[in-house]
Amino acid sequence: MALRSLVARMTLISTFMATTGLGLGQLRGFQTFSLPDLPYDYAALEPVISAEIMRLHHQKHHQTYITNYNKALEQLHDAMEKGDSATVVKLHSAIKFNGGGHINHSIFWKNLAPTREGGGEPPHGSLARAIDTDFGSLEKLTQTMNAKGAAVQGSGWVWLAVDKKFKKLVVETTANQDPLVTKGPTLVPLLGIDVWEHAYYLQYKNARSDYLTNIWKVMNWNYASEVYAKEFSSA
């Protein structure tokens, strides 16, 4: 009976990790998360993204995901300790949504940079060569991402990722706050653009396409190039 219970618990843990991106360390012991600082001032991305949007997006929206993620993780930890599989299953969507919100936004802040700090400067080195190989040019890549981002129904994200299995760049979209790992375990995000209305509506109203066009002016390709180089140096 004890063995059967252990097997059931480990199966539940494996399923949870695969579908939420939650690390094993977080399941072994309750761990809380806090809001990361931005690497620039709220007004640093103007006029592309206003200080008001950045402040609300960071302090309110991202903080809410973290608050709810921590709450759900605490409940998950308690349920695991009690062997309460029904509660564990019920917590799946909350952890996926709020944990994904924290993961995605933590990447998003790093994907942006003020123009005085290199924001908008084109990629270089191995990433630039990979973009030319897989998309034809940087312009064609941005057109692809803008089109897919504009086509997201409701809320979600558009990503530039590297598929480590096939050693190829890909563009993917995810719904709501689903992290990119839900599209495939070998996908590593290089750039993610938030197409939730809270990311642009105060400034761009319903013109999501204008937001997508302008955000490239503050895109931090240095960060994407570093992640790309690191992934293949460790491959």
Side-chain angles (χ1 to χ4, degrees), residues 38 40-58 108-109 111-115 192-194 196-204 210-220:
L38 291 186
Y40 38 75
D41 294 334
Y42 289 123
L45 303 181
E46 290 187 338
V48 175
I49 305 177
S50 71
E52 182 182 17
I53 286 177
M54 290 299 297
R55 185 176 291 106
L56 288 170
H57 200 169
H58 181 249
F108 183 59
W109 309 134
N111 285 165
L112 306 174
T115 55
I193 302 178
D194 188 348
W196 281 66
E197 286 189 346
H198 65 233
Y200 63 87
Y201 197 85
L202 284 175
Q203 185 173 355
Y204 292 92
D210 291 346
Y211 159 72
L212 288 166
T213 297
N214 286 333
I215 199 170
W216 296 101
K217 298 175 183 177
V218 291
M219 196 64 74
N220 187 0

Side-chain angles (χ1 to χ4, degrees), residues 84-105:
D84 184 356
S85 58
T87 297
V88 170
V89 171
K90 289 179 183 178
L91 287 168
H92 175 275
S93 60
I95 288 177
K96 182 181 180 183
F97 180 79
N98 292 293
H102 173 46
I103 292 168
N104 294 345
H105 283 86

